[in-house]
Amino acid sequence: MKQIGLGLLGLGTVGTGLCKLVMENKELIEKRMGISLELKKALVRDLNRERILSQGQLTTDPNEILKDPSIQIVVEVMGGVEPAKTYITEALKAGKAVVTANKELIAKEGHELLTLATEVGQDLYFEASVAGGIPIIRTLKESLIGNRITGIFGIINGTTNYILTKMSQEGSSLESALAAAQRKGYAEADPSSDVEGWDAAYKLAILASIAFGSRVEIDKVHVEGICKIEPEDLKYSQELGYTLKLLAIGKNSPEGIQVRVHPTLIPQQHPLATVSGVYNAVFLEDDSFGELMFYGRGAGELPTGSAVLSDVIACGRDLVLGKAGSLNCTCFEERPVLPMDDVQCKYYVRLVVDDRPGVLAKIADCFGSNGVSLAQVIQKGYEEPVDLVFVSHRVQEGQMKKALAQIEALPFVHKVANLIRVEGEEQFGTAAR
Ligand code: NAP
Ligand code: HSE
């Protein structure tokens, strides 16, 4: 039985989940893998809080983990770029395998860290950084390594999916739904990363880099969060047969890669439309398997702890077999990321306008003169100003933006209240649309 010492950098939601699973499943892991995981020490800020580990196993000094020869695997579950990056670098250089749940760090600094891990012949695994308990990274890196993935459609932020579900099903406000997500341990330390779309963007950059074999820089990802979504948009989109989700979308075509995170309308019959609450899902497309969907809890103590545990066991197995460092960076080419103006979509547009004769005609003229063809038009409300809702046919985003700039300048238009992209109708739409 190989004894493997674990040191944790952080013992909050995810760290505690990992400890619980290591304690509960110790015997099972020993029987299945022939390795015995020993929880040695955890780095924290506050030594006085009650924890799952004993007082003697807690420290505020990272060197007690990074320089301890009885620790072979360091698990970084503290979050943020620094000091996490420095600690991981030191752990790798000290000959330790590293597991992290830190999507921000991997999205921003993953290339440098993975290169270092390969140089020093150590594992750097990060399964929990994307989609909580769903084992999507190892699936892409191993099971689907011979496939040409063409599309990724992900609900990969549990907090915003929980918020949108509560807003549409219970009429909750964004603020009260966010507070509930924070109480349940789903949200990031700074929840603006969730609601503004950055958490999903970090995860998409990681997924797209692996799926398309080309490193996607985080500043190339187009990011829009859910802050602009109003109850009207949820109501009208439901009436139009759509469900609103914060989708992370990656597409790979001969021209280049699209990587974007934004509120998206999908047909109510699309499998992703049924993914509610804190659940995440990753929907993949390619020319051989067609469509695959992975579904599970995207955040929380035990689901995320389970993904971290899978990496810890993979590191343990690599240590035993002497193949550490063999599955680090999988990017093999550099593909261009296409600008948003080149993206082609259908769009939902909500305008707030005066209710007067000729208004609709002038707005339709702006759409038409910019090549935007309309599929549906609905007026909502009787008291001025009223909502005018349009759904377009597929059009280039640059043309839609030009039309909206002209429309916004019309004297009877109060505002362009929202522009939401429509996706997923090719496979799961109705013939009428
Ligand atoms: P958390 O509950 O806030 O826990 C963070 C832990 O790190 C705490 O124990 C904290 O110590 C410790 N810590 C933070 N900064 C430190 C520092 N400078 N020095 C020493 N200790 C420090 O966070 P979490 O929710 O577990 O998330 C951890 C990581 O997992 C993040 O990268 C997050 O993005 C990722 N993740 C989280 C989830 C989720 O569902 N929560 C899911 C997937 C991935 P104290 O306890 O003393 O404050
Ligand atoms: N804050 C993240 C979420 C945690 O809500 O999905 C999982 O990464």
Side-chain angles (χ1 to χ4, degrees):
M1 184 73 62
K2 171 97 174 152
Q3 307 263 324
I4 295 181
L6 304 185
L8 275 67
L9 302 173
L11 190 55
T13 305
V14 182
T16 303
L18 173 69
C19 290
K20 281 185 184 169
L21 291 173
V22 169
M23 290 168 181
E24 280 165 23
N25 298 347
K26 195 169 176 14
E27 212 180 299
L28 175 109
I29 296 163
E30 287 175 1
K31 283 187 182 146
R32 281 199 180 143
M33 299 300 297
I35 55 178
S36 167
L37 299 177
E38 311 291 333
L39 290 162
K40 296 277 183 187
K41 271 231 145 88
L43 176 76
V44 294
R45 284 176 294 212
D46 178 359
L47 287 172
N48 297 317
R49 261 180 57 197
E50 197 165 321
R51 314 267 179 176
I52 188 164
L53 297 183
S54 67
Q55 271 282 335
Q57 289 175 291
L58 304 179
T59 178
T60 53
D61 178 3
N63 287 327
E64 285 196 27
I65 291 167
L66 302 173
K67 297 205 166 128
D68 181 341
S70 74
I71 291 175
Q72 284 90 41
I73 303 175
V74 170
V75 180
E76 186 277 302
V77 278
M78 56 195 291
V81 172
E82 283 295 356
K85 184 185 173 194
T86 302
Y87 296 165
I88 289 178
T89 303
E90 286 177 22
L92 289 170
K93 284 184 175 166
K96 299 181 193 304
V98 174
V99 172
T100 177
N102 192 331
K103 64 236 93 166
E104 181 179 4
L105 180 64
I106 293 297
K108 290 180 175 169
E109 308 288 343
H111 184 62
E112 187 183 324
L113 291 171
L114 286 163
T115 305
L116 171 66
T118 305
E119 275 167 18
V120 298
Q122 290 300 331
D123 286 333
L124 170 55
Y125 288 153
F126 46 91
E127 184 63 69
S129 66
V130 179
I134 304 174
I136 187 69
I137 305 244
R138 193 159 291 108
T139 301
L140 284 170
K141 281 195 172 201
E142 293 187 9
S143 311
L144 301 178
I145 196 69
N147 292 68
R148 291 177 192 276
I149 310 289
T150 50
I152 305 169
F153 300 84
I155 295 174
I156 48 178
N157 181 264
T159 301
T160 46
N161 204 43
Y162 180 84
I163 292 171
L164 289 175
T165 304
K166 270 185 125 23
M167 283 174 77
S168 61
Q169 290 180 0
E170 298 168 26
S172 308
S173 67
L174 191 149
E175 293 71 23
S176 72
L178 172 60
Q182 286 176 299
R183 284 195 296 278
K184 287 173 182 282
Y186 304 153
E188 294 302 299
D190 173 6
S192 62
S193 177
D194 295 297
V195 292
E196 287 170 10
W198 283 101
D199 178 81
Y202 297 139
K203 294 167 179 169
L204 177 63
I206 296 170
L207 279 185
S209 298
I210 300 169
F212 304 149
S214 172
R215 191 161 61 94
V216 174
E217 308 274 2
I218 185 63
D219 59 4
K220 294 277 169 56
V221 181
H222 174 85
V223 189
E224 290 171 37
I226 61 166
C227 300
K228 267 186 76 183
I229 298 299
E230 296 186 56
E232 289 85 343
D233 298 309
L234 288 162
K235 193 166 132 234
Y236 302 156
S237 54
Q238 270 166 14
E239 287 173 22
L240 288 161
Y242 297 115
T243 301
L244 188 111
K245 295 288 178 193
L246 183 73
L247 278 202
I249 299 171
K251 293 189 184 181
N252 194 11
S253 65
E255 296 76 41
I257 291 172
Q258 287 179 33
V259 268
R260 44 194 170 96
V261 171
H262 49 70
T264 310
L265 295 178
I266 49 176
Q268 280 161 356
Q269 54 272 60
H270 195 292
L272 286 172
T274 61
V275 177
S276 48
V278 72
Y279 279 88
N280 277 200
V282 180
F283 187 91
L284 300 177
E285 290 178 340
D286 102 329
D287 292 338
S288 54
F289 58 67
E291 293 105 24
L292 278 177
M293 189 161 114
F294 302 83
Y295 171 84
R297 283 192 170 82
E301 190 179 273
L302 291 179
T304 316
S306 153
V308 176
L309 178 63
S310 78
D311 276 350
V312 166
I313 294 173
C315 289
R317 181 198 57 202
D318 291 351
L319 278 172
V320 171
L321 299 178
K323 64 183 204 69
S326 58
L327 197 65
N328 285 328
C329 188
T330 47
C331 293
F332 61 93
E333 61 179 343
E334 274 183 40
R335 313 240 28 242
V337 174
L338 300 174
M340 280 305 282
D341 279 359
D342 291 0
V343 164
Q344 282 221 354
C345 264
K346 283 180 67 164
Y347 294 87
Y348 158 106
V349 178
R350 179 164 64 89
L351 307 178
V352 180
V353 300
D354 288 340
D355 193 8
R356 280 195 259 127
V359 165
L360 186 57
K362 291 222 169 58
I363 291 170
D365 187 44
C366 293
F367 279 128
S369 61
N370 285 288
V372 179
S373 171
L374 298 172
Q376 294 192 65
V377 183
I378 312 169
Q379 176 170 325
K380 290 286 183 182
Y382 297 99
E383 281 181 29
E384 282 202 310
V386 294
D387 282 339
L388 263 187
V389 177
F390 299 85
V391 180
S392 76
H393 285 295
R394 278 177 76 81
V395 62
Q396 243 181 355
E397 180 137 340
Q399 285 175 272
M400 175 55 89
K401 280 195 200 144
K402 275 189 204 153
L404 289 180
Q406 286 172 13
I407 289 168
E408 205 156 25
L410 295 171
F412 43 77
V413 173
H414 292 236
K415 63 176 176 175
V416 177
N418 233 325
L419 170 75
I420 307 178
R421 297 166 190 89
V422 180
E423 290 275 355
E425 288 191 329
E426 298 79 14
Q427 305 89 10
F428 298 99
T430 59
R433 268 185 235 111

